[in-house]
């Protein structure tokens, strides 16, 4: 693990110093990380002043991580890195529902609700009915599949962010029927900004980027014998659908909201979306 | 500044979102950074667990930056990034003294000392006399050139780290004579560890790297009309000369310590080292 002073290149020295451990995965990751770091610095001919700006940015980002606020995850999100990692580990094919980020506002412990229940407890916003089925790859229903659901209230905040909301506002756990059908009532989700009062907000501002996420509903769909999927269903005509601050939108996750014409349904909007789960892999 | 949801690749979307500002330098840096980040993630197929480990490491590194402790600079140092940045902005040629990192233990306000003065005020360690000249590229002396000097005491600590040392221990400012000569007395510097009680220490440990820096004396050499140089002169036979934790060693900065044979000099070691400064560039 010794290095020769500059007889080899600096990069070779650093690679040699970190990538000869007994952990092959570590060696691969360290080598790629070090190579890309040094190539970046060399390509742009980073100046000491720019380097110091980067050091200060990373330091500020670390200091912004207090309590539930995780500015490094937010940084990863707005640079598309979180979505890239998600894509790698969750490549769906054959019609299986694609994944999207879990996001920072998921909370365990949502309460079970009955079919058709209204999960919007604060009564704010446009009334929405969501209907769909949970299916397998052959189009057969998955009875009893569980949907863990959460989205923002009309004030752009999730219940876990906002002590003024009922704790279970706009969230709940629902089971699909024997024929795979599910239905719940809520309020139409709205676009909202990621936190902008920290270093990531400055980064977005410097880049001329909006901090907005297009409106979406989060789902975790699971059923015994199937691979669970964590995903987000987006409002297809949201103003920010082409400029999601965290690059979470995929065409297959766009859903069209229909103006309700059925008086009996007693709502403003209807959303229909089916989820498709893949069988659990034999070797786990 | 809009992005199309996954009609283009994720990387293309991110590049488009950040690299179209009115600041051309920003666009270049952002593009390279984003491309290398995404290529890294894709090359190693980073898993969500590994990503979370990285997020936690960066967060911990930020939290370790308290007071004078700057763990992100230390991280940059031990990954060779600081030396890479220094190399880019300080490429010496034609015999001009090469640069090395300023390091975290430089303090302004060292007091001027006379030729031959002893800057080791605590009297610990092996007695050393340092002699040399400050020259221009043609080998002509630079009279009155200033040497700002600092190094560890025998206990492996710099005076600025160690309230038990006299404030001016092992540091001082010295002027070269009319013939460019300088001379001072001190104690032989010793190898020392970088801080290991934070995330960077864990990184070094995981990689099987020693946290040690080979013994060295820091210098900032300056004179009117010349480009100043910040550098470190290393003890050529130090046990860690080939394994500097921060990759600061360059062959031209190795200096041989000679056992003293001159009784009149009244010391254990003699170090002779000449510095060469380049003329100030006309356009600044």
């Amino acid at each position: 693990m010794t290095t020769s002073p500059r007889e080899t290149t600096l990069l070779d020295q650093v690679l040699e110093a970190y990538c000869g451990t007994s952990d092959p995965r570590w060696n691969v990751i360290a080598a790629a990380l070090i190579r890309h770091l040094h190539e970046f610095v060399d390509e742009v001919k980073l100046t000491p002043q720019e380097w110091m700006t980067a050091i200060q940015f990373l330091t500020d980002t670390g200091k912004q991580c207090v309590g539930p606020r995780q500015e490094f995850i937010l940084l990863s999100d707005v640079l598309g890195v979180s979505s890239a990692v998600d894509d790698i580990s969750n490549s769906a094919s054959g019609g299986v529902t694609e994944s999207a980020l879990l996001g920072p506002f998921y909370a365990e412990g949502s309460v079970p609700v009955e079919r058709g229940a209204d999960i919007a407890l604060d009564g704010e916003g446009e009334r929405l009915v969501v209907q769909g089925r949970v299916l397998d790859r052959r189009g057969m229903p998955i009875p009893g599949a569980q949907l863990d659901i959460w989205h923002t209230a009309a004030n752009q905040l999730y219940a876990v962010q906002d002590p003024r909301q009922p704790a279970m506002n706009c969230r709940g756990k629902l089971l699909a029927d024997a024929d795979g059908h599910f239905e719940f009532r809520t309020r139409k989700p709205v676009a909202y900004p990621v936190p902008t009062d920290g270093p990531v907000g400055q980064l977005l501002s410097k880049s001329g980027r909006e901090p907005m996420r297009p409106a979406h509903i989060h789902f975790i769909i699971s059923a015994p014998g199937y691979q669970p999927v964590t995903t987000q269903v987006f409002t297809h005509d949201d103003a920010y659908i082409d400029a999601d601050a965290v690059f979470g939108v995929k065409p297959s996750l766009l859903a069209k909201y229909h103006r309700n014409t059925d008086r009996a349904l007693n709502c403003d909007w209807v959303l229909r979306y089916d989820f498709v789960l893949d069988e659990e892999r034999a070797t786990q």
Side-chain angles (χ1 to χ4, degrees), chain A:
Chain A
M1 226 47 39
T2 64
T3 58
S4 301
R6 304 299 168 90
E7 290 162 15
T8 54
T9 68
L10 174 59
L11 174 55
D12 288 338
Q13 287 179 49
V14 182
L15 288 171
E16 190 185 344
Y18 284 96
C19 306
T21 77
S22 59
D23 179 345
R25 178 65 180 160
W26 169 271
N27 296 346
V28 166
I29 290 176
L33 181 68
I34 289 165
R35 188 165 43 73
H36 281 292
L37 255 178
H38 279 255
E39 286 179 359
F40 162 69
V41 166
D42 190 55
E43 269 176 38
V44 305
K45 304 295 178 204
L46 200 71
T47 70
Q49 294 74 28
E50 289 163 348
W51 171 85
M52 194 64 230
T53 300
I55 292 285
Q56 195 57 53
F57 179 83
L58 291 168
T59 305
D60 293 345
T61 302
K63 289 186 186 298
Q64 193 76 49
C65 297
V66 177
R69 176 78 173 264
Q70 227 305 353
E71 195 81 354
F72 270 116
I73 291 184
L74 184 60
L75 178 60
S76 169
D77 291 351
V78 303
L79 291 176
V81 172
S82 307
S83 282
V85 171
D86 184 55
D87 282 356
I88 289 167
S89 65
N90 295 297
S91 57
S93 63
V96 172
T97 299
E98 291 192 282
S99 69
L101 299 177
L102 179 70
F105 303 117
Y106 175 68
E108 295 190 3
S110 283
V111 295
V113 297
E114 294 299 316
R115 175 179 177 132
D118 191 348
I119 62 171
L121 307 180
D122 65 349
E124 300 287 332
E126 297 176 281
R127 296 166 306 162
L128 170 68
V129 168
V130 183
Q131 300 171 329
R133 293 205 295 165
V134 182
L135 305 169
D136 69 14
R137 292 175 62 155
R138 295 169 315 242
M140 301 298 287
I142 304 179
Q146 178 181 274
L147 300 93
D148 195 346
I149 303 156
W150 69 108
H151 67 85
T152 49
N155 69 354
Q156 299 188 316
L157 295 172
Y158 290 85
V160 294
Q161 289 177 285
D162 181 6
R164 291 163 304 178
Q165 289 180 39
M168 290 295 152
N169 197 35
C170 300
R171 50 185 285 213
K173 279 181 184 165
L174 187 63
L175 296 184
D177 290 351
D179 60 358
H181 273 280
F182 65 87
E183 178 176 324
F184 63 97
R185 307 178 77 85
T186 185
R187 301 292 167 138
K188 195 163 182 274
V190 296
Y192 63 88
V194 300
T196 57
D197 59 339
V200 170
Q202 293 166 23
L203 171 69
L204 293 172
S205 171
K206 168 72 188 169
S207 309
R209 294 198 72 205
E210 296 268 10
M212 300 300 289
R213 295 219 61 207
H216 56 275
I217 304 177
H218 292 266
F219 293 90
I220 301 174
I221 320 286
S222 58
Y226 294 86
Q227 294 179 50
V229 64
T230 298
T231 194
Q232 304 175 24
V233 175
F234 293 88
T235 308
H236 83 288
D237 59 353
D238 190 282
Y240 299 100
I241 205 72
D242 289 336
D244 183 1
V246 308
F247 304 96
V249 178
K250 299 174 181 178
S252 72
L253 300 177
L254 300 183
K256 188 164 183 177
Y257 285 68
H258 298 273
R259 279 278 174 196
N260 177 39
T261 53
D262 178 1
R263 280 210 170 173
L265 214 49
N266 189 29
C267 66
D268 305 305
W269 297 93
V270 177
L271 171 66
R272 291 191 185 88
Y273 196 87
D274 291 342
F275 297 97
V276 179
L277 299 188
D278 203 358
E279 286 79 27
E280 219 162 41
R281 291 188 187 100
T283 55
Q284 194 67 351

